[in-house]
Amino acid sequence: MVPISARSCSYVRGRHAPVPRGVVVVLKVLYITGWCRSGSTMLGNVLAEVPGVVHVGELRFLWRNGVLGTGSNRRCGCGSNHRECPFWSEVLEEVRPAGRSLERHAAQVVAWQEEYRTRHTWRVLQAPPRNGWPSTLAAAYRAIARVSGARVVVDSSKYASDAAVLSTLPEIEGRYVHLIRDPRAVACSWARPKAYTGHRSVLNSTLHWTGFNLAAEAVGRAHRADSLHMRYEDLVGSPRAAVGAVLALLGHGGQNPVAADGTVELGGNHTVTGNPNRFARGRTAIEEDRRWHTALPRPQRSAATLLSLPLLNRYGYPKETTWTWD
């Protein structure tokens, strides 16, 4: 990986003019739901190349990773630790209640988050959380919009329970992209050891894939006019068209950043956490990771197929495959 200089921390601030304190604007939050390893970091960073859009990665982990340091991924997309990053330092200070330390506030936020996880999505759709998490999330989105000067915030946290809260937040319009990837590709990705996150078995990955996608569907049904279902395979197969569909969902007239050859020029970003491709800079090809076609052994592929069968059919993935394996 090419080292990233500290000067890249000013990139997002330099792209849009920061909004003066005290000025309230209605902003849009595009929330990406689905299960991990489905291309959300890539999609978010491509969208961030559109004027007026900022991608913050998995915002939900800002307090756990960035302040408490208890997560597995403590670096901002600019290369700095979150508390040393000028962008996140300003956001954290703006959201922190007066008279309370960042550490104490972060611990409280994480406790609030634990009360409302993905499995609680259906409950949240009926009634928003009564703790301090919704107001903290709203304050964070507003601070991000003010500091960055953007009018659209892309949050790729993939917690459908948080997506379900968006419509209850004042001065915030929610938009939703349910991003789906073949569960066998996802299982293969989780099986490969990575420094930035843990390992999951095929059973664990596929059960989570099913649960997270069902929760994402529930949010989509509740907000049909503001939602979009997108397969990873379609995103990487026709990236310009896929990004265009998201911009249409947002009602955003910005120029599509994806070139006709499927490449995009990536600048800096301030993503909280996510796939290491968030550190990529320069002209980048949007391509499918097809390693799982040969790397996932037949017994594991069969197990993932069986466990995901109902949704596999719904999302248009083949039940049987003819790919070879090692």
Side-chain angles (χ1 to χ4, degrees):
M1 188 187 327
V2 177
I4 303 168
S5 70
R7 288 185 296 175
S8 64
C9 287
S10 64
Y11 186 90
V12 172
R13 290 182 60 90
R15 183 180 300 176
H16 320 296
V19 178
R21 291 183 185 273
V23 176
V24 177
V25 297
V26 176
L27 67 118
K28 292 180 181 178
V29 173
L30 177 70
Y31 200 100
I32 301 177
T33 58
W35 180 226
C36 305
R37 312 299 174 83
S38 297
S40 61
T41 299
M42 173 179 62
L43 175 60
N45 280 352
V46 172
L47 290 169
E49 296 306 316
V50 179
V53 179
V54 62
H55 176 221
V56 295
E58 298 176 20
L59 179 63
R60 187 180 174 99
F61 295 98
L62 174 62
W63 293 270
R64 182 188 299 276
N65 291 13
V67 179
L68 301 180
T70 56
S72 60
N73 202 328
R74 304 179 187 180
R75 282 203 302 160
C76 171
C78 72
S80 300
N81 290 332
H82 296 97
R83 294 185 67 173
E84 297 171 355
C85 166
F87 180 86
W88 288 117
S89 295
E90 189 167 349
V91 169
L92 286 166
E93 283 297 327
E94 190 164 321
V95 175
R96 175 180 63 88
R100 185 174 298 179
S101 69
L102 280 176
E103 290 79 8
R104 184 180 176 188
H105 181 233
Q108 182 65 76
V109 170
V110 170
W112 287 333
Q113 291 174 337
E114 288 299 310
E115 295 176 8
Y116 291 91
R117 299 175 62 84
T118 297
R119 61 178 175 270
H120 302 123
T121 299
W122 292 265
R123 190 208 318 171
V124 175
L125 285 169
Q126 295 299 317
R130 297 180 179 275
N131 62 22
W133 174 230
S135 60
T136 300
L137 185 59
Y141 286 142
R142 294 192 193 99
I144 290 165
R146 190 196 66 76
V147 175
S148 69
R151 293 297 184 271
V152 177
V153 176
V154 180
D155 184 346
S156 53
S157 296
K158 294 175 290 297
Y159 273 75
S161 52
D162 289 350
V165 171
L166 286 187
S167 63
T168 70
L169 304 182
E171 307 296 334
I172 292 175
E173 296 182 3
R175 299 292 186 272
Y176 314 87
V177 170
H178 177 192
L179 193 57
I180 309 154
R181 188 182 183 189
D182 191 307
R184 293 157 295 202
V186 174
C188 185
S189 180
W190 275 112
R192 296 196 298 267
K194 295 178 175 62
Y196 71 96
T197 189
H199 164 275
R200 291 181 185 270
S201 66
V202 169
L203 173 63
N204 183 288
S205 171
T206 310
L207 289 178
H208 275 82
W209 181 90
T210 300
F212 271 62
N213 281 313
L214 286 174
E217 286 189 5
V219 173
R221 285 193 298 270
H223 303 283
R224 293 183 187 274
D226 299 320
S227 299
L228 177 67
H229 292 262
M230 179 180 294
R231 299 198 317 172
Y232 162 89
E233 292 78 9
D234 297 326
L235 169 62
V236 296
S238 301
R240 184 171 173 82
V243 171
V246 177
L247 293 177
L249 176 70
L250 289 168
H252 197 294
Q255 184 176 356
N256 193 320
V258 182
D261 63 357
T263 63
V264 61
E265 186 72 25
L266 294 177
N269 66 77
H270 290 291
T271 47
V272 172
T273 187
N275 190 290
N277 64 26
R278 65 198 178 100
F279 297 112
R281 303 290 187 271
R283 181 58 56 178
T284 303
I286 302 174
E287 299 176 321
E288 181 177 1
D289 182 349
R290 300 175 57 86
R291 286 175 291 179
W292 73 275
H293 288 188
T294 55
L296 188 65
R298 182 176 183 179
Q300 295 181 27
R301 188 168 71 235
S302 298
T305 300
L306 181 63
L307 289 168
S308 63
L309 200 54
L311 291 186
L312 204 67
N313 292 332
R314 185 180 306 177
Y315 299 149
Y317 291 114
K319 288 181 285 187
E320 298 295 333
T321 64
T322 58
W323 299 304
T324 59
W325 56 86
D326 293 335

